[in-house]
Amino acid sequence: MTTFSPVRRLTLIAVLAAVGIALFVIESHIPMPLPFLKIGLANISSVVALVLIGTTSMMSVVLLRVVVGALLIGTFMSPAFLLALSAGVVSALVMGLVRKLTRNLFSVVGISLVGAFTHSIVQLFVVRYVYVQTTVVLHLLPFLLAGALVGGLIVGAVSLRLVRALPEVLR
């Protein structure tokens, strides 16, 4: 994690949140084979925030990205918003914990995968216990985990490139 002044840290949070919001809005217009299977490109901003400025700042990026993104696409306070918010917050906390507790054990790509798998599992848990109250939704788990694997690898690879390049740019 790089040390930044408070103003630079706040600016970086705002820029990463804006990039995450833009990626979220763009991805919401890309047709997917199943509506719940998305790559999660907006999570690039979260992973980069975690590595460059820490867990607390990443949480700010996640909250801004989810709330403003939902307002922009018209899903605020809908089931989709509540799923995104709950899964986003929990996966951010888990990624932050993994980063803190295992310091060098997980790469940026590994942390992205942990976040993607956590996000999918939390969403399925919320759907199961809040919305449908049936175990039938658990049959979606293999599809969700396959999507998380693909999305986590893509998000992790892009995040890794940005994490390597941005400290030079930010100096």
Side-chain angles (χ1 to χ4, degrees):
M1 186 168 74
T2 311
T3 304
F4 295 107
S5 71
V7 171
R8 199 169 263 218
R9 176 182 296 275
L10 185 59
T11 303
L12 192 51
I13 289 169
V15 168
L16 288 170
V19 167
I21 292 163
L23 290 171
F24 174 77
V25 171
I26 290 166
E27 191 172 22
S28 73
H29 294 293
I30 298 172
M32 296 292 171
L34 296 170
F36 51 83
L37 283 182
K38 293 185 177 187
I39 295 170
L41 296 175
N43 293 318
I44 293 167
S45 63
S46 304
V47 175
V48 170
L50 172 63
V51 175
L52 291 183
I53 50 180
T55 303
T56 304
S57 296
M58 174 191 51
M59 193 59 69
S60 298
V61 170
V62 168
L63 291 172
L64 283 166
R65 179 175 56 78
V66 171
V67 171
V68 175
L71 287 168
L72 288 173
I73 67 169
T75 60
F76 187 68
M77 296 308 288
S78 70
F81 167 75
L82 297 174
L83 286 170
L85 182 64
S86 60
V89 168
V90 173
S91 64
L93 289 172
V94 170
M95 286 190 294
L97 268 173
V98 165
R99 177 122 172 112
K100 181 177 181 167
L101 297 176
T102 64
R103 192 46 77 187
N104 294 319
L105 185 62
F106 285 86
S107 68
V108 173
V109 175
I111 288 172
S112 173
L113 284 167
V114 166
F117 285 121
T118 302
H119 196 276
S120 293
I121 291 167
V122 168
Q123 281 192 329
L124 190 63
F125 180 84
V126 172
V127 166
R128 160 66 177 94
Y129 289 100
V130 175
Y131 293 112
V132 296
Q133 291 92 31
T134 178
T135 58
V136 172
V137 296
L138 299 178
H139 296 302
L140 295 173
L141 186 61
F143 300 105
L144 289 171
L145 295 180
L149 177 64
V150 172
L153 287 172
I154 292 169
V155 166
V158 172
S159 298
L160 178 61
R161 294 196 78 165
L162 288 171
V163 163
R164 288 180 175 163
L166 281 177
E168 259 327 287
V169 173
L170 295 172
R171 275 182 222 194

